[in-house]
Every structure is written in structure tokens, then in C-alpha cells.
Amino acid sequence: MLFASALLSIPLLASSVAGVPIKRQSSNSTATASNSTGSADLLVLKFANVLEQLETQFYTEALQKFQTSDFTAAGFADANVPIQQFTNIMNDESTHTTVLAAAIQSLGDQPISGCTFDFSSVLTSVSAMAPVARLVENVGVGAYLGAAHLLDDPVLLTAAGSILTVEARHQTILNVLNGGTAIPQAFDIPLDPQEVLAIAGSFISGCDTGITGLPPLTVTTTGSIQAGTSLSFSFDALSSISDTSTLSCQMLAGGMPASLSLPFDQCVVPTGLTGPVAIYVTNNTQPLVNNPRDKFLGNIVAGPTMAFIDNDPEDISSLAITGQVGNSVSNSTGSSSSDSSSTSADSSTSTATISPASASSVAAAAGATSTDSGSLSNNVGGVPPTANTETGTSPDGAISVSGWTTIPAPTSS
């Protein structure tokens, strides 16, 4: 198929982006693929192209604005290290954009155009930019993973997967450059397109993606965010809700069968969480399942927003960072305030909470996180310890996945 060939010809198009996609030939031993693609496939392809445009523009503007001295002032031991990595990532995203556009055009359609990407609120310093880059790549991974079930064509699915694996490599290096755990979890979080726009939609204007995003969610907690921190929120509909007792705070991490459901007014970061965590506000206590096919979005009032919890410092970060990168906190007014303390990345942990819905779109705070395991009494419990527990079925019938145990809901007598 033309679009499949365009995507699978990335190595060739990287050196000659004007190359014409070649139709894939099917052997007699295999079924011949359809010569037309479904509307859902095309919508996914065009949405992915917009996200790649966003990523390309973000890195292009950042590299144009910040000088070597800006990177060293932010705490990098050698400015060439982050500059080289950001440049490599920018080139990858630019190639993804070009190849996806070629695939869309080979189907007789055109990529979504006219999009404007405004990063002025987050490109204020390298310390503000670096954690947003981490967020952008995490959203990219979640977007490709979450769209997999929407694709009907297996060749397109494989081609999209080849981009997903590269986005995941970007995520790893950006975890390191932000003083975080390189590979914090055994699983990633899939995000539906509506969830992707809840996080990144405020950066995009001037074009119609064909998808309506969920309402954005902002964490308004100030100061250090760590295990035991009580989170507060802001979202557009909050002022019209007279009784918040009906709302719930949901936290979802990779490998969890479903989210942790907590009372909205008692949303406390539990011990044991690590890596990226998606946070939602819902209008009931029902946990959100961690697969995009079955996740019900109708009960989501706002979110997700993302938090990065780094409770296991790694020596690899100290090779690139001498100080804390991205050490700013988002407050309810949307401004960004800098934490006056500078902490060495090899001797502390940090938690970064980022919400592009706010004016600053950045919140990152340093603070030690306890590694003691805890527990929460809900439909999902058993907060994972620092190391993953064995996956399998326990005597009581519960299923453990990467340390998260699904506990059957109590039955009424």
C-alpha cells in the first residue's frame, strides 16, 4: 500500500525526502492488502502528523533560543551533551513529520495544515524547557501506544510501531537529562487522542485535528511534590461544582490494571509510585482501566495531567548534570517560580508535575520520596514496592502486574 510503503521507507526518505513512495507488492502466499485505507486509519495518521509537527517546532525553537551558556547555567556539566541530544531528537521528529505527510498525500489526502504552536510560556529557560521536553516525548509514546487499537491496517500498525520505539528512546534520554530514572517502569501508559489533547492541546491553535480533547487539568499544589503530598487542582468546570464530594482523583501508572481512585479532597501521592503518572478528576469513584479500548472517558471531568516521580536516583544522570534541572513550581496563577535550592542530581530525587493548561505549563519540584510500600483500600490496591513483584495469580484470586495488584471489589452481603 502506498501509505505503508511511505512509512516503512523511512531510512530512504531520511536522505531523500522527495522520494516517491513505492507500492508494496504482496506475494501469492499472502492475502493482498486493500488498496484503500479506512477513515479511522487516515484520521490517526493525520493526528500523528500534527503531534510530530508540534514536537519538531518545540525543539527547533528551543535550539534557536538557548545558547551554550544557558545549558551550563541550568546545571548541565557539558552543554554539548544536551544540545547534541535535543538536536538528534529534533531531526528524528522532523523526519517523522515529513514521512507521515508523504504517507497521507499518497492516499490522496493532505496533512492538517495551519496549526500554530505556542511555546512562549515554557521556553523561558533551559530549566523550564527540559521537563517540558520530557513531557512532550512521554505524550508521544502514549499517543502512538494508545492509537494502536484504532488502526485496521496491520502494515500501518507496524510502521507506526517503528516510530513509537524511537519516541521511547527519546523518552529515556530525556529522563536522564532531567535527573530522572532512565527506564522507570516495565510498562508505558497508553493515551487516547482525547487524553493527548488534554495535555498538549493548549500548545495548539489555528487548525482542526478532528478530535475533541478532554478538559485540561492543572495541579495547583505549590512547593515540593512527593510521596505524602496532598494535591489540589484547577480546571474550568470547578467553579460550577458546588459539591466536590462527588469527585474523585485518579492516578494511573504503567502496568496498573486500573487507576487508584481517591477522594478529590484527599488526593495524596502514595509511596511506591515511580515514573510517569497520569492524574485525572472524575465524577465518580470507578477506577479507569488502563487500556484505551475499554477505558470509559465519559466520567472524566478533567485531565489527564502528568507527574514524573523519580524515587530511585541513578548514577547515569550525574554524568550529564551537576545541578537540578527544571527546578520550578507551577502555582494557581499559572506563573512559574524558581526553587532557590539547587540539588545535585546524584544525591536527591525529584518529582516533576507538568500541566500545559497553566500559563507556565511547567512544575518540577525536588524532594526525597520514600521507597516504603504502602496500601490503599479501593478497587485497586497494593501500591508497588521499589522493585516489581512477581506477576501471577495469588491464592485469593488477585492478579499482580508489575507490582500492582487488582483486588476484587467487595460484594454486598
Side-chain angles (χ1 to χ4, degrees):
M1 296 176 67
L2 293 178
F3 69 92
S5 298
L7 284 171
L8 292 176
S9 300
I10 287 177
L12 296 177
L13 288 174
S15 59
S16 179
V17 296
V20 178
I22 301 173
K23 183 175 180 179
R24 178 175 67 88
Q25 301 296 324
S26 300
S27 65
N28 294 331
S29 60
T30 59
T32 301
S34 170
N35 288 327
S36 62
T37 186
S39 59
D41 283 355
L42 189 56
L43 178 63
V44 169
L45 204 63
K46 294 171 77 171
F47 183 66
N49 179 255
V50 170
L51 295 181
E52 296 292 352
Q53 292 179 47
L54 180 150
E55 291 176 314
T56 301
Q57 186 67 25
F58 173 80
Y59 291 109
T60 299
E61 289 187 19
L63 288 168
Q64 288 175 345
K65 179 171 183 177
F66 300 120
Q67 307 301 315
T68 299
S69 58
D70 296 316
F71 285 91
T72 53
F76 287 103
D78 183 348
N80 290 329
V81 172
I83 290 174
Q84 182 182 60
Q85 295 305 315
F86 285 128
T87 301
N88 291 341
I89 294 173
M90 178 191 68
N91 291 335
D92 287 345
E93 307 300 8
S94 178
T95 300
H96 293 166
T97 302
T98 302
V99 171
L100 285 170
I104 295 167
Q105 290 168 343
S106 75
L107 293 168
D109 206 333
Q110 292 296 320
I112 297 172
S113 60
C115 296
T116 300
F117 306 103
D118 184 4
F119 304 110
S120 58
S121 62
V122 298
L123 295 182
T124 56
S125 67
V126 170
S127 294
M129 178 272 292
V132 175
R134 189 185 194 189
L135 171 69
V136 166
E137 293 303 322
N138 183 264
V139 170
V141 171
Y144 278 100
L145 189 59
H149 76 290
L150 300 174
L151 298 173
D152 294 324
D153 187 278
V155 179
L156 175 57
L157 177 60
T158 301
S162 70
I163 297 178
L164 167 61
T165 55
V166 175
E167 298 288 344
R169 293 186 180 101
H170 296 166
Q171 178 71 74
T172 296
I173 194 63
L174 288 169
N175 286 340
V176 172
L177 293 179
N178 278 276
T181 304
I183 308 172
Q185 297 169 338
F187 302 92
D188 281 312
I189 308 171
L191 297 172
D192 281 300
Q194 299 95 316
E195 296 176 282
V196 170
L197 287 179
I199 301 171
S202 65
F203 290 137
I204 308 171
S205 63
C207 60
D208 182 9
T209 63
I211 296 168
T212 301
L214 291 168
L217 177 66
T218 301
V219 174
T220 58
T221 302
T222 59
S224 178
I225 301 174
Q226 55 190 332
T229 299
S230 179
L231 301 180
S232 57
F233 306 97
S234 173
F235 52 93
D236 290 344
L238 182 58
S239 60
S240 63
I241 300 175
S242 57
D243 182 11
T244 58
S245 65
T246 61
L247 303 179
S248 295
C249 161
Q250 308 275 354
M251 297 187 190
L252 188 61
M256 293 171 58
S259 62
L260 294 172
S261 180
L262 303 169
F264 177 75
D265 296 324
Q266 301 175 39
C267 187
V268 179
V269 179
T271 59
L273 276 179
T274 187
V277 178
I279 306 173
Y280 307 77
V281 172
T282 61
N283 60 15
N284 63 15
T285 61
Q286 181 64 38
L288 300 166
V289 297
N290 198 10
N291 81 77
R293 187 197 66 181
D294 301 325
K295 183 185 295 178
F296 179 60
L297 304 181
N299 290 336
I300 298 175
V301 176
T305 187
M306 298 298 299
F308 293 90
I309 301 178
D310 304 307
N311 56 13
D312 188 16
E314 295 182 326
D315 293 339
I316 189 172
S317 291
S318 66
L319 299 177
I321 305 172
T322 58
Q324 189 65 39
V325 177
N327 204 18
S328 60
V329 179
S330 175
N331 57 38
S332 59
T333 63
S335 62
S336 180
S337 59
S338 176
D339 189 332
S340 60
S341 62
S342 178
T343 310
S344 174
D346 61 354
S347 63
S348 70
T349 60
S350 65
T351 299
T353 302
I354 306 173
S355 175
S358 66
S360 68
S361 306
V362 183
T369 303
S370 170
T371 57
D372 294 336
S373 61
S375 63
L376 294 172
S377 177
N378 245 298
N379 287 355
V380 179
V383 178
T386 302
N388 291 335
T389 59
E390 182 176 358
T391 300
T393 304
S394 62
D396 63 358
I399 300 175
S400 176
V401 180
S402 187
W404 292 89
T405 303
T406 300
I407 300 176
T411 57
S412 56
S413 55

